Amino acid sequence: MTVSKIVGSTLIVAGTALGGGMLALPLASAGLGFYTAAFLIIANWALMTYTALLMLEIHQHAEQDATLNSLAKSLLGKPGQYLATFASFFLFYALCAAYIAGGGSQLTNKINDLLSLELTPQFGAVLLTIIVATVVSIGTHSVDIVNRVLFSVKIIVLALTLSLLFPHVQSINLLEMPVQQGLLLSALPVIFTSFGFHGSIPSIVRYVGIDIKTLKKVMVCGASAPLVIYLLWQVATQGVLSQTDLMANNSLTNFIASLSTVLQQPQVSQSVSVFADLALATSFLGVSLGLFDLLSGMMKRANTSINSDDRTNANGKSHRVKTALVTFVPPLAFALFYPQGFITALGYAAIALVILAIFLPVAMVSKQRKADASGYRVIGGNVTLVLASLMGCLIIASQFLQMAKMIPAVG
């Protein structure tokens, strides 16, 4: 196993989680205070890292090219397979449609500004889809290379942004207590989805191989990078703006404008805008890679990385093209012709992610341990499995309470 592949896999995990949702964290946690928000972020990191390791425990007993769909079928039968398939498609297609719509609009604006054109957002959506589809269709290695470049630039831009914000952090803002206890439940689904990378785990296993020691490092380090960045971002934003100022911003645009106004530095909004674009790109790559491999496995198509046979086998390339069409055409169509549909679907993203990242791993590990307890086993036993399940129930309950308007909707 090469160090390069390990680093690349780690960055795919980190890049998938570290998306545009990070920018919503200060809004989601407004009114909680820094320390309460930090506790929630660390708790969700621990939960999602734990369930990622559960997935590795399951993968060690399966084929290297196993997908969540095939794992659920072998361990939980047809009902588990149907649940995994529905939740995966619901989440992946909704996220891809959101990335296409949002990223396409941003891409169009930048092209228009650069070339003094008047292209429509639809043009940017189609162009972005073609670019990402090409990278993903070539294979995981190409996603690895492109993601490394984007992630590196993203970290540089983030460092620049933080360097502008940190000199203005006021400790009194970080010491503010929660304004309202019910806001903790409101923030929970947003923070939880900010650590969503589990859809890319089967792709990483295929790419790295079933080397549990290496995969553990990839998952832990890949999940820890967003944790550190989220905490630094919370210090910067909650330290610069008071809870009152944060809660007064009801949109991301207003939030960024407030930062620029308070600091009297327009560079802040520019750097945050660039970071948002890069974060969207890395998340889009990771999510679409997971969807592509899921469909590839279901359609019994080629592996994630093109091997020597694929390069000379026109039939193998044809299969990848067909898989790419099924992967990218539906979300592109939704983004172009039915935008309200995927926006509504995104409201249920946390519920679908709970199913994929908590309930299914817990259920499959419980079944696997009864059948074969050998090999790698995540620490904690049944107690942590129960705690993870209870946390998943709490997240779903929080989402439904927001939908019923029984607690404030945030993020």
Side-chain angles (χ1 to χ4, degrees), residues 132-175:
V132 174
T134 301
V135 174
V136 171
S137 298
I138 293 174
T140 305
H141 180 67
S142 65
V143 174
D144 178 2
I145 299 301
V146 173
N147 183 73
R148 290 189 203 196
V149 175
L150 295 176
F151 193 90
S152 299
V153 177
K154 181 166 66 175
I155 294 301
I156 293 172
V157 173
L158 178 62
L160 174 62
T161 305
L162 293 177
S163 69
L164 295 172
L165 294 175
F166 266 97
H168 302 275
V169 169
Q170 300 181 41
S171 59
I172 190 172
N173 290 338
L174 298 176
L175 296 174

